[in-house]
Amino acid sequence: MQDGSEAVRGPDDSTSRVAVGQVLDVPADIRALAAFRRPDYIDVFALDSPAPVDGSPERWARVVLEESAGFGGQFVWRVLLGLRLRWRKTPTHVAGWRIAARGDGWIELAARSPLLSGHLLVRAQGRELSLTTALHYRRRLGARIWSRLSATHRRAAPTLLRQAYEAERARGAAGRG
């Protein structure tokens, strides 16, 4: 993993160390999924927690994409990439992305635009929370647009995971208090 660890302060003023960063080698179990076998672009970011990450992958996907990414994510996905996302919250969509598949400890989301198709994989297993982004370019313009946005994406992804982790940790502490 590339990046470092950082102390995260919880709502009870305790601190714990979480490591979050880019995973340089895409794990084989991710590449085995159909949408992730031969993408034009793929990256994986992971957060290693000192304790197990509780909650379903869908819950984590909602926290990362709906809460942490919020309106900024919607702007990038809808306006800059032209992805056709649902507008209303539904049980079959997360942040407008269609739930394409799910398995033990993971959920895959999918969306398309005239320029590209995108797949997000959120995994919550053991002490790791990860976000994988895979893109298939449908037009050259999609590749050009993503080449300009990808650096921002790679800076934002660790922050989104960290914010989601902190939010869930705060909710858990509030529920215990």
Side-chain angles (χ1 to χ4, degrees):
M1 185 182 330
Q2 182 182 23
D3 207 357
S5 67
E6 132 180 343
V8 175
R9 185 166 302 282
D12 58 355
D13 260 356
S14 66
T15 59
S16 61
R17 285 227 154 312
V18 295
V20 62
Q22 188 169 2
V23 177
L24 299 178
D25 291 320
V26 178
D29 59 334
I30 292 175
R31 285 217 184 260
L33 299 170
F36 301 91
R37 281 193 194 127
R38 293 169 37 147
D40 296 310
Y41 173 91
I42 190 167
D43 65 31
V44 180
F45 289 87
L47 178 141
D48 291 320
S49 168
V53 290
D54 294 327
S56 70
E58 182 176 338
R59 172 71 187 143
W60 281 106
R62 290 188 186 283
V63 176
V64 171
L65 302 172
E66 293 175 355
E67 295 178 27
S68 296
F71 291 117
Q74 292 293 320
F75 178 78
V76 170
W77 302 325
R78 292 175 189 275
V79 177
L80 300 179
L81 296 175
L83 293 172
R84 296 178 178 144
L85 304 176
R86 274 268 163 100
W87 281 102
R88 292 191 181 135
K89 283 188 178 184
T90 71
T92 60
H93 289 74
V94 174
W97 293 72
R98 178 179 55 83
I99 297 174
R102 52 176 100 224
D104 187 30
W106 60 270
I107 188 168
E108 178 191 343
L109 309 172
R112 291 174 62 116
S113 83
L115 303 175
L116 53 83
S117 60
H119 297 266
L120 302 176
L121 182 76
V122 176
R123 292 196 318 173
Q125 296 178 321
R127 297 181 346 168
E128 184 178 277
L129 173 64
S130 68
L131 172 66
T132 301
T133 302
L135 301 176
H136 300 275
Y137 305 129
R138 300 178 71 199
R139 304 237 186 318
R140 286 187 194 151
L141 180 58
R144 286 198 302 261
I145 290 171
W146 184 250
S147 72
R148 293 174 188 213
L149 292 175
S150 62
T152 301
H153 162 77
R154 287 189 297 276
R155 283 191 305 274
T159 302
L160 296 178
L161 290 173
R162 188 175 289 118
Q163 287 173 346
Y165 176 79
E166 290 172 359
E168 284 298 281
R169 190 164 174 227
R171 278 192 270 274
R176 291 188 299 272

